[in-house]
């Protein structure tokens, strides 16, 4: 990633790190001469504007500890109600798997906003 940034630094005005855990964002920010925005950090900041407490729904259980470390490092622990993983045992599409987890967070933690730990790639 750092190699790509150094090679394309003149062509870009800023960089968006499209990984919800913002992996290596500190090293990337140090290497880049332009702003580097991580979608994980930005999604939590947006969620905090919508409600005092927010919850995060990750795609896998394995990614939950990494997200918790990220939240702690950003100083958002006091605003994060929970970090949960979607339920893969449920049949259906992504919405079918996320909805029960989101509803549980509302009932148990009184979360008011959500940051989904996923990134969609769109091509023409």
């Amino acid at each position: 990633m750092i190699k790509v940034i150094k090679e394309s630094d003149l062509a870009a005005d800023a960089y968006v790190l499209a990984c919800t855990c913002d992996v290596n964002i500190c090293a990337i920010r140090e290497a880049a001469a332009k702003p580097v925005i991580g979608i994980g950090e930005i999604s939590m900041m947006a969620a905090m504007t919508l409600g005092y407490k927010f919850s995060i729904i990750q795609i896998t259980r394995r990614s939950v500890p990494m997200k918790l470390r990220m939240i702690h490092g950003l100083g958002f622990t006091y605003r994060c109600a929970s970090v949960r993983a979607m339920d893969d045992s449920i049949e259906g599409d992504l919405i079918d798997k996320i909805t029960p987890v989101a509803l549980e967070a509302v009932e148990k933690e009184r979360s008011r906003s959500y940051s989904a730990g996923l990134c969609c790639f769109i091509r023409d």
Side-chain angles (χ1 to χ4, degrees), residues 93-108:
D93 61 16
L94 199 56
I95 296 297
D96 295 330
K97 295 176 184 218
I98 289 175
T99 301
V101 179
L103 292 174
E104 184 179 34
V106 168
E107 292 171 10
K108 289 187 176 179

Side-chain angles (χ1 to χ4, degrees), residues 6-7 22 26 40 50 56 58 63 85 88 98 105 113 116 118 124:
K6 287 183 176 181
E7 290 173 357
D22 297 343
C26 293
L50 301 173
I56 296 173
Q58 291 290 105
S63 63
D88 262 346
I98 289 175
S113 58
L118 54 97
D124 303 317

